[in-house]
Amino acid sequence: MLSKLRSLGMALNFEDVSNIAGNGVAPGRVHVARAMVEAGYVDNLRQAFSRYLYDGGPAYAIGSEPAGESVVQLICRTGGIAVLAHPWALKNPAPVIKDLKAAGLHAIEVYRSDGKLSGLSDLADTYELLKLGGSDYHGRDDKEEPDIGSVDLPVLAFFRFLEAAQPIWCNAIKEIFANTTERTGLNGPKECHRTSSVDDLCNMCLSSPELEETDDSEVEVLRTEFADIILSNRSCKTLTEQRAEITSLLH
């Protein structure tokens, strides 16, 4: 985008754009637009977008991001929950959501940061996707930006998310420890050490000669925070077993 603007007689420094974005924030079109305003090339952000930075505009540039399907598959392979954010920004969301669902998509953002329910709840039902929400926090240090966790989710929506996520996370954790034991030889190659308490888990981790020494106080904090974690197949079923009880209480 900066190269195209330069060819249009509007030279901008990448450092200036980065400074506008702020520390730890990836620069984007809005930051380029602000730099254009500060440089006097346009009067305001709206003018920057309507004249130069709109999709297909003279200073618009396509990024090198991977395809959405590839991202979803990567998330699924690494023990994550794939969620489509801001689906209302898509010009034709139905076919996109259908393709991402085929790739393994778990959920879409339905509960907006402004407290409104998006019109895509029916699509979530159609493709059997979880309905989630996010605060859309980007660390812009903006008073109008919502705080992290400021979106209220219905109890059942949050519960269904945990119900779907727990077995995925359990399997991912087991795979991590299986790989760890294979490297360190704790219980022979390709064998996952079964733990029944967080003490067993901490002791297993700290028994590896490859791991750096850890301060006893840090270990104690971990033991306190994760006191009831049990990595077993039974734990993956616990949430499902509790669902009937919670649902009955809600009714």
Side-chain angles (χ1 to χ4, degrees):
M1 286 188 287
L2 297 184
S3 177
K4 290 185 175 182
L5 285 170
R6 189 176 299 109
S7 67
L8 294 170
M10 292 175 283
L12 295 173
N13 293 322
F14 179 75
E15 291 76 13
D16 293 336
V17 177
S18 296
N19 289 335
I20 291 173
N23 186 32
V25 179
R29 270 191 292 184
V30 67
H31 306 116
V32 173
R34 288 176 181 171
M36 293 174 69
V37 173
E38 290 187 5
Y41 295 131
V42 293
D43 295 333
N44 49 53
L45 297 182
R46 183 184 298 275
Q47 194 176 90
F49 275 89
S50 64
R51 292 185 180 181
Y52 305 103
L53 300 177
Y54 62 88
D55 289 0
Y60 177 75
I62 298 175
S64 57
E65 297 85 359
E69 290 84 352
S70 299
V71 175
V72 168
Q73 291 168 358
L74 176 62
I75 293 172
C76 293
R77 287 199 307 270
T78 52
I81 310 299
V83 185
L84 176 63
H86 316 327
W88 49 83
L90 297 170
K91 295 180 180 178
N92 191 8
V96 175
I97 292 174
K98 180 181 179 181
D99 291 343
L100 293 180
K101 168 66 177 180
L105 185 70
H106 297 100
I108 62 173
E109 183 180 6
V110 169
Y111 301 98
R112 299 171 50 133
S113 58
D114 57 11
K116 298 178 180 179
L117 182 68
S118 79
L120 298 176
S121 180
D122 291 342
L123 272 179
D125 292 332
T126 299
Y127 295 105
E128 298 181 341
L129 294 167
L130 298 171
K131 301 175 184 180
L132 298 179
S135 57
D136 198 21
Y137 177 82
H138 285 264
R140 292 191 295 262
D141 195 23
D142 186 346
K143 293 182 179 179
E144 295 182 0
E145 185 175 42
D147 291 331
I148 295 176
S150 60
V151 174
D152 294 327
L153 292 179
V155 173
L156 283 179
F158 184 66
F159 180 81
R160 290 188 179 111
F161 163 72
L162 290 178
E163 186 179 42
Q166 190 175 33
I168 295 173
W169 290 342
C170 280
N171 290 333
I173 292 172
K174 289 178 183 179
E175 185 174 344
I176 290 171
F177 281 106
N179 293 335
T180 300
T181 56
E182 183 175 353
R183 291 196 307 271
T184 61
L186 289 176
N187 281 313
K190 298 182 180 179
E191 180 181 351
C192 182
H193 185 73
R194 181 85 58 177
T195 65
S196 59
S197 70
V198 72
D199 283 336
D200 290 343
L201 178 58
C202 290
N203 291 334
M204 183 189 76
C205 294
L206 295 174
S207 66
S208 171
E210 291 186 2
L211 298 178
E212 297 180 357
E213 293 185 4
T214 305
D215 185 78
D216 289 341
S217 62
E218 296 179 0
V219 177
E220 208 52 47
V221 170
L222 287 175
R223 285 185 172 137
T224 301
E225 291 183 351
F226 302 104
D228 296 323
I229 292 178
I230 299 176
L231 298 179
S232 66
N233 287 331
R234 183 180 301 174
S235 69
C236 292
K237 298 177 182 178
T238 300
L239 200 56
T240 303
E241 293 169 352
Q242 293 176 350
R243 179 175 185 174
E245 298 178 15
I246 295 177
T247 303
S248 64
L249 289 175
L250 290 174
H251 288 309

